Amino acid sequence: AQKVTQAQTEISVVEKEDVTLDCVYETRDTTYYLFWYKQPPSGELVFLIRRNSFDEQNEISGRYSWNFQKSTSSFNFTITASQVVDSAVYFCALSEAADSWGKLQFGAGTQVVVTP
Amino acid sequence: DSGVTQTPKHLITATGQRVTLRCSPRSGDLSVYWYQQSLDQGLQFLIQYYNGEERAKGNILERFSAQQFPDLHSELNLSSLELGDSALYFCASSMTSGRTGGIVLTFGAGSRLTVL
């Protein structure tokens, strides 16, 4: 069963618009971590943010912000004032205390297209 | 440059063949993880090695095997290749074994395998 759901397949915006990416996860663990990774057209996976299940405080880091709500099992990610360089596939991932915390379960990804 | 080196970048081969993908982790990292990204399955965890020993296993086929050598580089061997094995294979590394949460994986650029 899919543990991480990214319902949005593709989002297209014009530069300077805000983009919010949705992520819904499923876990029975009380301790877990959530991540966002970015995959630009060049193909590599780049770490963006991490959140643990005990910290629901939402934060802003530069143009990135995230909204973590345990009550709805959601971990949404927002890019403010998007730029063309933000065009990429964004993946949400879950890490549970299974056999290894490094075993990430990824969602299907959301393609973000930012046009000038 | 993430510091995780993967070779080859691209590989084209025929069904039934065997290939070896190589990964050198970031300096100081003891764990190596292999992930597969395919159109059908998305990003999937395959296997993790920590300091030469297998640490965790995911959806890795029996036709696939991996190992980590004393110098910490790792190889992923794929045999009896099928068309469905065509994918982008990522290696990632981390300093720790995976027994503590919140690990941030550093990914390499990937090896793109095409099976014809």
Side-chain angles (χ1 to χ4, degrees):
Chain A
Q2 188 75 12
K3 288 204 159 193
V4 179
T5 302
Q6 295 180 252
Q8 304 150 309
T9 306
E10 181 171 327
I11 300 175
S12 293
V13 296
V14 177
E15 219 173 8
K16 296 183 184 174
E17 289 182 341
D18 295 349
V19 182
T20 295
L21 309 179
D22 298 335
C23 174
V24 173
Y25 62 92
E26 182 185 329
T27 180
R28 293 181 181 179
D29 288 1
T30 54
T31 303
Y32 52 89
Y33 288 82
L34 294 161
F35 300 81
W36 278 96
Y37 277 84
K38 171 183 178 179
Q39 186 175 35
S42 51
E44 73 275 21
L45 282 166
V46 179
F47 165 75
L48 295 177
I49 57 175
R50 172 190 61 190
R51 209 73 191 149
N52 73 53
S53 54
F54 294 108
D55 187 355
E56 285 194 74
Q57 183 178 351
N58 297 314
E59 290 186 19
I60 298 174
S61 175
R63 294 189 298 110
Y64 298 155
S65 62
W66 47 97
N67 186 339
F68 175 37
Q69 293 192 345
K70 284 175 74 170
S71 60
T72 55
S73 296
S74 66
F75 184 51
N76 299 337
F77 175 68
T78 297
I79 305 170
T80 303
S82 61
Q83 301 174 1
V84 173
V85 293
D86 296 325
S87 296
V89 181
Y90 290 80
F91 291 95
C92 180
L94 168 68
S95 170
E96 300 172 297
D99 40 4
S100 172
W101 284 101
K103 187 175 173 180
L104 298 181
Q105 299 172 80
F106 286 90
T110 298
Q111 172 86 57
V112 172
V113 178
V114 182
T115 53
Chain B
D1 184 0
S2 68
V4 178
T5 305
Q6 289 188 247
T7 56
K9 284 190 174 20
H10 300 277
L11 189 53
I12 302 174
T13 189
T15 54
Q17 295 299 304
R18 173 190 170 95
V19 298
T20 298
L21 309 180
R22 182 188 168 103
C23 169
S24 293
R26 206 175 49 160
S27 178
D29 286 354
L30 300 177
S31 273
V32 169
Y33 307 77
W34 287 98
Y35 282 80
Q36 178 196 57
Q37 184 177 30
S38 66
L39 288 174
D40 292 343
Q41 304 291 332
L43 264 166
Q44 281 197 111
F45 169 77
L46 295 179
I47 197 164
Q48 177 199 354
Y49 278 82
Y50 173 71
N51 210 18
E53 296 198 0
E54 183 182 304
R55 175 76 178 84
K57 214 166 184 175
N59 298 326
I60 187 166
L61 299 172
E62 283 191 14
R63 300 182 286 106
F64 296 1
S65 65
Q67 55 183 325
Q68 186 180 28
F69 295 86
D71 67 352
L72 301 177
H73 90 271
S74 177
E75 292 181 356
L76 178 66
N77 301 297
L78 316 173
S79 61
S80 302
L81 286 167
E82 301 175 0
L83 296 177
D85 297 327
S86 295
L88 186 54
Y89 291 85
F90 283 107
C91 170
S93 71
S94 73
M95 199 181 309
T96 62
S97 65
R99 287 202 168 93
T100 51
I103 298 171
V104 174
L105 302 187
T106 302
F107 283 83
S111 291
R112 183 168 295 282
L113 173 66
T114 302
V115 182
L116 300 175

